[in-house]
Amino acid sequence: MSDVSVVTTTVDSAEAAESLAKGVIEARLGACVQIVPIRSVYRWDGEVRVDAEWRCVVKTSAIRVDDLVAHIKVHHTYDVPEVVVTPVTGGNDDYLAWVSEETS
């Protein structure tokens, strides 16, 4: 088991994704943020919607997760932003050590 987690959120534009990612990295809350364009289908306010979104996948140390989640909530434009935390159970030890170093 590693001390690394992956935190995922989505935003409504490439610019918002880049801005959020830069803020996360500058604050050392994440070592890397990958931005991926996606289409989301969901129900909101009683209607089914289909929207373009950008998924932000943040690699961080487990001890930074709470601060990262708080940062995302403060800097997000959605009323209820998606924030999902997934613990990393293994992987490239050198990469996982780099993530921990970058977020300490």
Side-chain angles (χ1 to χ4, degrees):
M1 187 77 144
S2 75
D3 70 338
V4 172
S5 294
V6 174
V7 178
T8 305
T9 190
T10 54
V11 296
D12 61 359
S13 70
E15 295 78 16
E18 232 176 80
S19 176
L20 184 64
K22 286 180 180 177
V24 165
I25 298 303
E26 287 170 359
R28 299 189 77 84
L29 296 172
C32 174
V33 181
Q34 295 171 319
I35 300 169
V36 183
I38 60 172
R39 292 200 56 79
S40 294
V41 181
Y42 59 99
R43 183 180 314 274
W44 188 255
D45 289 335
E47 69 179 67
V48 175
R49 298 184 184 192
V50 179
D51 289 317
E53 289 189 299
W54 284 257
R55 177 181 295 137
C56 299
V57 181
V58 184
K59 274 70 75 181
T60 191
S61 58
I63 62 171
R64 299 295 277 163
V65 165
D66 290 342
D67 292 336
L68 175 58
V69 170
H71 179 91
I72 290 170
K73 289 171 74 174
V74 166
H75 294 92
H76 209 288
T77 60
Y78 290 0
D79 293 337
V80 182
E82 169 193 1
V83 182
V84 176
V85 179
T86 306
V88 174
T89 60
N92 177 347
D93 290 337
D94 295 333
Y95 178 80
L96 299 175
W98 173 78
V99 170
S100 293
E101 289 169 16
E102 286 300 308
T103 56
S104 58

